[in-house]
Amino acid sequence: MAELVYPPVIGVARTMFKALDLRFDIKGTENIPKRGGAVLVSNHIGYLDFVFCGLTALPAKRLVRFMAKESVFRHKIAGPLMRAMKHIPVDRAAGMDAYRHALRALRSGEIIGVFPEATISESFTLKNFKSGAARLAQEAGVPLLPMALWGTQRLWTKGHKRDLGRNHFPITVRVGAPMEADPTEPSDTLTERLRTRVQELLEAAQRAYPVRPKNAEDTWWVPAHLGGTAPAPAQVAGRGHR
């Protein structure tokens, strides 16, 4: 079936990136398979992360179908676009429907994008991973594709105003080698191995990031353990409302 919506949306996104003069450093796109199903797994630090994750599949001429919270699909503008691009709504009260939908898509050869932290990390460090991505890959018999983003939080993230000006922000992305999802391995063990690999890629992206905060007011996007003023994970957990 022809993709009537996804390619034009990609074109709009690329035009926006050019207008913002974003500086991309993306490595590892050769790890995206040119055919067959896979589960693309990334850290989650900003509202536009799915767009940047999707960019990594374009050299392989693939489109990624993301699992996203159901409320996005109710938005009067985003909703019709999300459905037309065949993304998958996740209702946390009835998660098995989304799981089955994703499983069918994987078995039909699609790449499914998952943020296993389930929500944006306000500390910009990795939260615990849900096991759904690992279980999907195991049941569908497809590989896991670990990746990490850095810099996307500077554009638009939870608790901060959007900054979509022409600020020349760098965006660093690292895609790791595919991980086999052995169905005999406990899903929790596989999930922890996956999280460790994403952590390694995140640290590589952070080391490669070409800029540092300009002043004390600009340290908000840097994690506390790297000398920034983003809240530590314990502080975020202590708020008790997310």
Side-chain angles (χ1 to χ4, degrees), residues 12 15 28 30 42 45 61 88 95 107 114 116 130 154-155 171 179 194 206 209 214 224:
V12 170
T15 299
E30 69 278 3
S42 175
I45 53 176
K61 298 181 180 180
I88 300 172
R107 286 172 171 165
V114 178
K130 307 292 186 183
R154 301 179 70 190
L155 294 169
I171 303 295
M179 294 175 58
L194 175 64
Q206 290 169 336
Y209 201 67
K214 295 175 293 187

Side-chain angles (χ1 to χ4, degrees), residues 1-9 63 65 81 84-86:
M1 187 178 295
E3 294 284 349
L4 301 179
V5 176
Y6 213 142
V9 169
L63 299 174
R65 317 298 178 178
L81 289 174
M85 290 187 283
K86 304 175 189 175

Side-chain angles (χ1 to χ4, degrees), residues 52-68:
F52 298 111
C53 287
L55 284 180
T56 66
L58 295 184
K61 298 181 180 180
R62 301 297 303 273
L63 299 174
V64 182
R65 317 298 178 178
F66 286 94
M67 301 184 76

Side-chain angles (χ1 to χ4, degrees), residues 160 213-222 229:
H160 296 272
K214 295 175 293 187
N215 50 47
E217 288 71 35
D218 191 42
T219 59
W220 66 268
W221 55 271
V222 179
T229 55

Side-chain angles (χ1 to χ4, degrees), residues 173-203:
V173 185
R174 294 291 181 266
V175 184
M179 294 175 58
E180 181 183 356
D182 185 342
T184 66
E185 181 177 5
S187 59
D188 289 346
T189 303
L190 177 57
T191 298
E192 194 52 41
R193 285 204 299 115
L194 175 64
R195 185 182 182 280
T196 297
R197 186 64 185 120
V198 173
Q199 177 66 38
E200 292 169 349
L201 293 166
L202 176 58
E203 291 173 3

Side-chain angles (χ1 to χ4, degrees), residues 137-153:
Q138 288 176 310
E139 192 168 348
V142 301
L144 291 156
L145 301 174
M147 67 173 291
L149 304 163
W150 193 244
T152 65
Q153 73 272 36

